[in-house]
Amino acid sequence: MKFEMILKDTVSCGESTMSCVDNILACEAYCAQTAIYREYLRQNQEKAELYKQTFRSINDKIYSQAMNLLDTAIDIANVELAESAMATINAMHSAYPKFYKAYYKQLFGR
Amino acid sequence: MSENEIIDVEYSETDNNSESKDIVVNADPMSAAVNGFFGAVNHITDAVKEYNICHEQEETKRAEIRAKLKLGMAEIHAKKEIVLKQLENKHEIDMLQAKTYCELTTKAVDSAIDAVNAAVENAKHTNDFKQVIELLQMSNDLTNTRCQFLLEYMDRTSQNSELILPESKKPSGYLT
């Protein structure tokens, strides 16, 4: 056959192009997975922000109440009331590390 | 035949690779010219036929490559859209649940805080803060319980919302 060499070259070029196409599809699949993961992280961030806002608003209210009670306890010289107010503030402080651990787990998934 | 009588035979090796050659009989110049002309036409026809075979095979291969690329891209985009839609739907439901839970927690804590504040106002008149201390203790317990529930809820939702993507081929040149 006169064009046998051309046919062989055509076949090898076709195989090379097919492998390039496989590579293009692999890149496209990788980009699609990246886009999905980015959306997943954005959603996690939204949920984590909601929890953080709720936690902070609760703690702000408890803290302001505890400070008012502390002021009142100091004014009337009531030790028990002052100790209760301090216990409230300490309990609130001890909740922060546990909350932020759960917050970062929600944010990053680990 | 006696042993002394040897038959002398000419022996020559035949060439198996020899191509069959056309035997041209030169009848006259005109016939030879016409024969040559038609021979050339046959050669050209064969060459054109073989070229067309190569061309068609190449076109078919190109079409196959184009189709594979188009199909692969469409499949990937369709799967991506489906997964994104599922994520969006799940996220809507999760956010609704989370907002409801947070609102309930905030309401419970607000009511506890209001109760303590009312008791403090009352105690300022009566100068008896024992009830305030008891209510404050109960409010602390309630807030701690609610915060604990919130943390457990966050843990559970973060576990349930793990994203598992199918393994795919890594593109060439991908650095790990």
Side-chain angles (χ1 to χ4, degrees), chain B residues 1-138:
Chain B
M1 278 179 73
S2 62
E3 290 179 2
N4 294 329
E5 290 179 8
I6 298 166
I7 298 174
D8 209 0
V9 176
E10 282 185 6
Y11 174 74
S12 61
E13 286 184 359
T14 55
D15 188 7
N16 292 329
N17 293 330
S18 64
E19 292 177 2
S20 59
K21 293 176 185 171
D22 292 331
I23 301 170
V24 178
V25 177
N26 287 324
D28 62 305
M30 184 56 89
S31 300
V34 168
N35 204 17
F37 173 72
F38 281 119
V41 167
N42 282 339
H43 279 303
I44 290 168
T45 311
D46 288 342
V48 167
K49 201 166 59 177
E50 284 168 15
Y51 171 75
N52 282 336
I53 290 169
C54 290
H55 180 67
E56 288 300 318
Q57 284 186 343
E58 190 194 335
E59 284 293 324
T60 308
K61 197 72 183 170
R62 282 182 192 226
E64 186 187 337
I65 290 167
R66 271 197 297 268
K68 184 178 176 184
L69 184 63
K70 200 173 172 182
L71 188 68
M73 296 286 263
E75 190 183 337
I76 288 166
H77 288 148
K79 281 182 182 173
K80 183 179 108 173
E81 291 303 316
I82 288 170
V83 171
L84 283 175
K85 191 74 187 163
Q86 280 180 339
L87 270 180
E88 198 185 314
N89 291 342
K90 188 176 178 297
H91 180 63
E92 268 182 40
I93 296 169
D94 287 346
M95 280 302 285
L96 196 61
Q97 285 178 347
K99 276 178 187 167
T100 312
Y101 195 83
C102 290
E103 275 169 17
L104 286 173
T105 307
T106 309
K107 269 186 191 170
V109 170
D110 282 346
S111 58
I113 288 170
D114 289 342
V116 170
N117 286 342
V120 166
E121 291 302 317
N122 195 25
K124 278 178 183 172
H125 296 298
T126 60
N127 213 21
D128 182 17
F129 284 87
K130 280 185 187 168
Q131 195 185 19
V132 171
I133 292 167
E134 281 171 11
L135 269 175
L136 188 61
Q137 187 62 44
M138 282 166 59

Side-chain angles (χ1 to χ4, degrees), chain A residues 37-49 51-52 99-110, chain B residues 154-155 157-159 161-163:
Chain A
Y37 192 67
R38 208 166 50 229
E39 178 63 18
Y40 167 72
L41 286 178
R42 188 199 66 80
Q43 291 173 358
N44 279 356
Q45 189 185 17
E46 207 177 314
K47 279 182 227 169
E49 284 303 316
Y51 294 135
K52 191 164 90 167
F99 169 74
Y100 275 104
K101 194 175 166 187
Y103 170 74
Y104 287 120
K105 194 174 175 188
Q106 174 66 52
L107 198 59
F108 300 114
R110 56 179 176 216
Chain B
M154 283 168 70
D155 267 341
T157 50
S158 63
Q159 275 171 19
S161 64
E162 260 184 56
L163 182 69

Side-chain angles (χ1 to χ4, degrees), chain A residues 2 7 22-23 33 61 88, chain B residues 50 57 68 110 140 166 172:
Chain A
K2 290 179 179 52
L7 197 59
D22 286 338
N23 207 29
Q33 288 196 346
K61 288 173 194 171
T88 307
Chain B
E50 284 168 15
Q57 284 186 343
K68 184 178 176 184
D110 282 346
N140 286 347
S172 62

Side-chain angles (χ1 to χ4, degrees), chain A residues 11-108:
Chain A
V11 167
S12 62
C13 284
E15 283 171 6
S16 307
T17 312
M18 201 62 96
S19 63
C20 286
V21 163
D22 286 338
N23 207 29
I24 289 170
L25 292 175
C27 286
E28 201 62 33
Y30 187 74
C31 291
Q33 288 196 346
T34 310
I36 290 167
Y37 192 67
R38 208 166 50 229
E39 178 63 18
Y40 167 72
L41 286 178
R42 188 199 66 80
Q43 291 173 358
N44 279 356
Q45 189 185 17
E46 207 177 314
K47 279 182 227 169
E49 284 303 316
L50 173 66
Y51 294 135
K52 191 164 90 167
Q53 275 174 17
T54 307
F55 185 77
R56 276 193 173 165
S57 72
I58 289 171
N59 273 359
D60 285 345
K61 288 173 194 171
I62 293 169
Y63 185 72
S64 64
Q65 185 190 56
M67 291 308 287
N68 288 337
L69 282 173
L70 196 58
D71 289 338
T72 309
I74 290 168
D75 287 341
I76 61 171
N78 190 328
V79 175
E80 283 177 4
L81 187 61
E83 279 175 358
S84 297
M86 284 306 297
T88 307
I89 293 170
N90 289 337
M92 189 190 73
H93 278 164
S94 66
Y96 268 95
K98 292 177 206 167
F99 169 74
Y100 275 104
K101 194 175 166 187
Y103 170 74
Y104 287 120
K105 194 174 175 188
Q106 174 66 52
L107 198 59
F108 300 114

